[in-house]
Amino acid sequence: MFSKACQYGIRSVIYIWKQSLNNNKVGAKEIAEHVDAPEPFTAKILQELVRKKVIGSMKGPTGGFYVDKAHEKFTLKDLVVAIDGPGLFEGCSLGLNQCSETNPCPLHTEVKVVRTHILHMLTAKSLKQLAEEVESGETVLARFI
Amino acid sequence: MFSKACQYGIRSVIYIWKQSLNNNKVGAKEIAEHVDAPEPFTAKILQELVRKKVIGSMKGPTGGFYVDKAHEKFTLKDLVVAIDGPGLFEGCSLGLNQCSETNPCPLHTEVKVVRTHILHMLTAKSLKQLAEEVESGETVLARFI
DNA sequence: ATATTAAAGGATATTTTTGTCCTTATTATA
DNA sequence: TATAATAAGGACAAAAATATCCTTTAATAT
């Protein structure tokens, strides 16, 4: 469903949110360790998410990645689109470019239903809310950190 | 959602079913042309689907790929699992190996719902039924063939 | 029997994704 | 202002997915 890059990205951003709830900026190394992802690759992904404004970053000592009020509106969908592109939500699932409402592929109507549910899953909660659920112990990120 | 190999596989198998409804075996070349997929790659995918018994094949003149009564029970899920593996249905969507019912990742319960719908989409109809819908013009495969 | 046809199989090439490393730019603080 | 810390950026490496080509095997028709 999600590429590895996207999985690392999701895990990382939830971790960043969790730390930012306690007003801590976090470095790429710490993030990668805590979400169990390869550090340089994770750093690249975070770079991209900064470019797409899903998270913020600061260089220098005491710098790192962070989120604040400006990022509260973002959901998993924004993150997924930023990394994997819109393919999960748009285009023919069978790769037919002629596929359309009037010319539907064999999966067309069924895929619409599934996409509705995927969209709901990825937009019902903000990334901040997901981090709060980890903070409260309701859900768990990575290996019991 | 599906790899390219899987997309080609789905398109090919529906085409094979469509031809088999009219008692025609079809060669890899014809299939690839009609579903607009690269021929040698498609041949490899079909090979794998033969090994997994989703379709049948015969060598020699008048040979080709075909399906019959023995293949009527198969659904898209069988095909997808044969090519892409069970990743769409199983395992943590965020790649966390500690994720479980008692230790759920931030997406765990939502993904379960989505997977239910994906599973329904891929098992509600047999591959034969999908081909019949193409045959009747209800749905369309590839470029208006 | 032999020739022909088509799938099967193996080796190889290309592209994309994943992953690493090194240098540069920016910021904080001593 | 110099130093240290950290993200940004670019070049490179490895692995996986996608795609091609050539040889072998099996079946049919003549």
Side-chain angles (χ1 to χ4, degrees), chain A residues 92 95-105, chain B residues 140-144:
Chain A
C92 177
L96 302 171
N97 46 20
Q98 299 287 2
C99 175
S100 69
E101 214 54 33
T102 55
N103 204 58
C105 80
Chain B
V140 180
L141 197 57
R143 17 157 201 161
F144 316 110

Side-chain angles (χ1 to χ4, degrees), chain A residues 27-28 44 47 51 57 60 64:
Chain A
K44 289 289 183 209
Q47 233 177 84
R51 270 193 291 268
S57 69

